[in-house]
Amino acid sequence: MAPRWPVLTLLTPLVAAVLSVPTASADDVVAAAVTEHQAESATISGGLVESNHAGYTGGGFVNYDNASGAYVEFTVTAATAGPATLSFRYANGTTTSRPVSVTVNGSAGVSVAFPGTGAWSTWGTGSATASLAAGANRVRVTATTANGGPNLDRLTVDTGTTSAGRPADVNGQLRVCGVKLCNQYGKPIQLRGMSTHGIQWYSQCVKTASLDALATDWGADVLRISMYVQEDGYETNPRKFTDLVHGYIEEATRRGMYALVDWHQLDPGDPNANISLARTFFTEVAQRHRDKTNIIYDIANEPNNVSWAGIKSYAEQMIPVIRAQDPDGVVFVGTHGWGSLGISDGRSEQDIVNNPVNATNFMYTFHFYAASHQDEYFAALQRAASRLPIFVTEFGTQTYTGDGANDFAYSQKYLDFLAANKIGWTNWNFSDDFRSGAVFKEGTCAGSTFAGTGVLKPAGVWIRDRMRTPDNFPTS
């Protein structure tokens, strides 16, 4: 493979799109089963409404008194009795967790840790599940230590699909078993979803309406968050891009999808060149989201012009960085030759088989573009699939430039093999870029309609159709 996007550095007008955490607006349709409740409008005992730290929503946030027993109590109305996910947006500028007990109508409390977020102006999410009664419910959030609770911004209640069909709800914490990706029941599964384009260019395509369509109309299991390191990406403003990723993780979580965090290094191709930046980024992301069960970490997108030994060394330095914060998270790393198992470098998967990464709960990634990467690449994937745990984090139905005519026949050959072997995939890409590999027609992302086929290019119609028949996620 070769670098695919050199001309994108010319697309500077696209950067005018606001790079911010996606939030609902009046033009966006949010599922009726999701409701939001501002903390400043709740009943407060032992705390004050303040607005002296940036980033809150609504009219302010609640600053708990430094006392055990201080609480914020929300009134939540449910149409019917049943389970709900309670998500609390909070900030904790200390390095010590500020645990609370969450009760519903005086029930036994559920503990939520609320670990440090790094600053009082940096907001995270803590979640709990609970059973709501039909009608009004009292959801009380009570500090359990002398430090009091965190700064509490709002409560989001999701009563829509918390139990049955959502991929991350059914499968829970993933783990690698043998050469397969397995769910919380130890059963091999196949995840299928979409990759964003570079969020420095196409953040306008990743918003409430488009993500709702991806989760419900398309039936995606996973959102790959493509954060370039160079090319106007992370290195230009680490804080801004880290916060974007935090926001997209929360949006995927809210919709029951897995969030695949993609450290999209491409040029330089040696991931060791960015290892200091990678340590900083993944430490924060893993620390912030370690209590979630839907996070996957991809620590190097497409290593190129670097030996497999160099990639292995990088992976064995980075995996402990993530494990120190999130011991259970699955970690991916790209293979040499732009994710080709070495084929584009004149090598093969045997480099990896002979010298595997010394880690567990770990997978290798493979990329293909069906109009360019045919028999030799397909054969390497076939050979590797029985020896190595593999996830296809990027593929297209076009050439390796992400453009040109679609080869749906060879694409189907790949997808049939991936389905038969329970190998997950994310397609490139969820944007309205002019290239044929972008699923939306140009100009779509300026609007609010993303469901159906009318807004899709041929590749989008084809990919959506193949995503709408879900994998049978086994639970026993």
Side-chain angles (χ1 to χ4, degrees), residues 114-128:
F114 292 132
T117 58
W120 291 108
S121 58
T122 299
W123 300 84
T125 301
S127 298

Side-chain angles (χ1 to χ4, degrees), residues 290-375:
R290 61 189 173 192
D291 293 330
K292 294 182 173 68
T293 58
N294 66 321
I295 312 300
I296 303 169
Y297 307 92
D298 185 358
I299 57 176
N301 162 60
E302 284 193 346
N304 58 86
N305 296 305
V306 59
S307 67
W308 169 247
I311 301 167
K312 177 179 185 288
S313 173
Y314 167 81
E316 290 176 352
Q317 293 176 72
M318 281 302 304
I319 291 169
V321 171
I322 294 172
R323 294 278 187 260
Q325 306 298 327
D326 183 356
D328 300 320
V330 176
V331 179
F332 295 170
V333 74
T335 54
H336 49 323
W338 290 275
S340 69
L341 293 167
I343 302 302
S344 288
D345 274 352
R347 304 290 300 178
S348 77
E349 79 286 349
Q350 202 61 41
D351 292 341
I352 306 168
V353 171
N354 292 340
N355 191 21
V357 170
N358 183 22
T360 57
N361 221 20
F362 173 82
M363 304 188 87
Y364 306 91
T365 70
F366 178 73
H367 292 180
F368 70 88
Y369 283 79
S372 296
H373 305 126
Q374 300 198 344
D375 294 354

Side-chain angles (χ1 to χ4, degrees), residues 410-432:
Y410 216 102
S411 297
Q412 191 63 56
K413 180 178 180 177
Y414 269 112
L415 291 199
D416 288 345
F417 178 81
L418 298 179
N421 289 274
K422 295 286 189 182
I423 297 174
W425 53 258
T426 52
N427 175 255
W428 183 270
N429 67 77
F430 198 64
S431 84
D432 62 357

